[in-house]
Amino acid sequence: IDEFDKMDLRDQVAIHEAMEQQTVSVAKAGLVCKLHTRKTVIAAINPKGKYDPQMDLSVNVALASPLLSRFDIVLVLSDQQDSEWDRTVSNYILQQSSGTGELTGGAGTSAEKWTIEKLRAYLVYVRTTFNPELSQEAEEVLTRYYQVQRGTDHRNAARTTIRLLESLIRVAQAHARLMFRSHVMLEDAITAILCIESSKHNSSIVGVQSVLQSDFPIDPDTEYLRMEDIVLQRLGLSELIQTSFRYRIRNSQQNNNKKISPPPSSSSSS
């Protein structure tokens, strides 16, 4: 939905029901019918005047908080004045126009990349096969993050409602499906928090960079471990590091080293 803020007031009232209760009520000829709808809503909206990062998002876009809180993830694409970034964008556009530009920012060759058909088939399979359940570590991290956001002095009233916790659960479950898992692990919860943090500025615990100027990391595992440390320390849950992705990777590497260690020579054994 483009120009989401230009919607008619009656349409905004109708979409409230569709996004919260996943039903649409239709009244025709004296009959009221409720139709089931389970769709994902992706909307775009422009700020009212110059965007002020010190103000709440609902104030900048002049959108009612109850409607804004129904979106799981809100990405603020702020076009800031940056000469280096402007030069990068202009060079990229000129290279694409001349046909000499190549996409960069990701590892791997083209032979390793999935086709669109294979990716679509994978997404359909994991979406219909897995219904991930929250692990104890994931529940602890998501609950603690929700409590921290509720208790901050600069919290966004439009986002820090009970729907924030519901959004965290949905995003964590979606990431678990994407990783081919039937349980929501700690890294799924951390990733969900990082996605939600992308829409926060005043109450951000991570300090995410501009979404518009971000890129895929060269080493995603190392970047995740760095962000995991920050999130767990800010939430006061450093003890969960033993159940984290880092702990399992380290144990896996130690086990592999033990398996490939050479046998003792005959001279040493004698």
Side-chain angles (χ1 to χ4, degrees), residues 13-24 37 39 41:
V13 173
I15 204 171
H16 266 266
E17 178 188 358
M19 296 180 66
E20 182 179 21
Q21 304 177 13
Q22 296 184 338
T23 60
V24 174
T37 172
K39 293 296 181 181
V41 178

Side-chain angles (χ1 to χ4, degrees), residues 11 23-24 56 83 87 150 156 159 165 178 198 243 250:
D11 294 334
T23 60
V24 174
D56 286 345
S83 58
R87 187 180 301 107
R150 291 284 294 177
N156 190 336
R159 298 288 294 163
L165 185 58
L178 187 64
S198 300
T243 63
R250 184 186 299 129

